[in-house]
Amino acid sequence: MNPAAHGPTTWSPARIRLALLALAMGGFGIGATEFVAMGLLPELAADLLPALNATAPEEAIAQAGWLISAYALGVVVGAPTIAAAAARWPRKQLLLWLVAAFTLGTVASALLPTFGLVLVARFFAAVPHGAYFGIASLVAASLMGPGKRARGVALVLSGLTIANVIGVPAITWLGQQTTWRVAYLAVAGIFALTFVAIALVVPWQPGDASASIRRELGAFRRVQVWLALGIGSIGFGGFFAMYTYIAPLATEVAGLPASWVPVVLMVVGVGMTIGNLLGGWSADRSVRRSLRGYFVALALALAALGLVAAWPPGLIVGALVVGAAAAALSPVIQARLMDVAGDSQSIAAALNHSALNLGNSLGAAAGGAAIAAGLGFVSPIWIGLGFTIAGLGLTAATVAIDRARQRGGQVLSYATGAIAVADDTA
């Protein structure tokens, strides 16, 4: 495939904006397919686990949370696998294949009849997730130009956060008024529209001709890559421990009617949108300071939410702040991974989403276990606080290694205010 056959290499500002919008639309669909289950857990439990739901509704809701964990595990498996194997593919072509897979997987999730089959479908529907965000982030960073890498990442992620403002609440409401299956078919429709948008307006970009599976997997030889993955999976798990069970938190703890669940989801989405843009801006200035600051903010927000969750205004304000602090971490962690991964950029861009969704799976599972043990619907917040504190500890460790190597004379690059470790194989 020849770039000359696909138009000029210099694109107009209008074409770039349309391309970024199309990439963000994919993020919107991913946000909808990933998070809509959190608002529809009671409906999923009632439909797919009717016997358990009739006798032990708390246990049924906790088991329905496995659907969220299954999706997260699909991301964990798919992101590095696809990113490493397909790094040489033309990026637009790869994006189109990934969106097609999303569409089919979401349709299967909506149509399969039993809990076990839907669980499997959610796993496979998630496999393209990390690779999509990774490749889309590389395309966006290229379109944005030098010095705006993290802002390009944040623009792609903005589709996901805006989904939590508009898409997830609206589709949750649709699922409450009809069935959760109709809600997932609506999500599949978003992916179909995304396929058309990317095909029409995203410029052709070559893959990395020098990439190889061996080179991409070389990122795993770097201790700082593993620490960055730990920061994302363990630290971000704190948010998902709370967010997975936001519906029962709103109805059973704060005493709000079920019709308020989409409102609470919208509030979290507003916070996530603000936080994502703030995180992209600050990461282009200092990744390390941003990591520390946002983890401290997330820990404080979770602690405050745990104390005031039974008070509806406290729940709403707390959910807003937790969403903002958590979403700000996402582009920061992605920038950190790309800084420390050396020339394994394709897999680094995708691994962030493996890490965050491992956090999703761990947080959802730990929060569900606490609920099933009879600790109540507030307990996932305290579980989440523990995860967040652990993430802050890992952040301190990775910063300490940077400083030790700097004192030891290793070369550090301070491009755009972030730190890139030039030799980090120890």
Side-chain angles (χ1 to χ4, degrees), residues 55 124 156 182 216 228 247 271 314 352 358 396 398 419:
T55 58
F124 283 105
V156 174
V182 172
E216 292 297 320
N352 181 46
L358 181 57
T398 196
I419 292 185

Side-chain angles (χ1 to χ4, degrees), residues 31-102:
T33 198
E34 180 175 14
F35 296 128
V36 76
M38 296 167 181
L40 294 174
L41 273 185
E43 288 77 10
L44 287 160
D47 184 47
L48 294 173
L49 301 165
L52 181 60
N53 190 66
T55 58
E58 286 192 5
E59 290 186 25
I61 288 174
Q63 188 169 329
W66 295 0
L67 295 169
I68 296 168
S69 295
Y71 183 94
L73 289 174
V75 180
V76 172
V77 172
T81 304
I82 296 175
R88 301 181 69 173
W89 285 26
R91 289 171 178 171
K92 179 175 178 176
Q93 179 185 1
L94 179 55
L95 287 172
L96 289 172
W97 277 108
L98 294 172
V99 175
F102 270 126

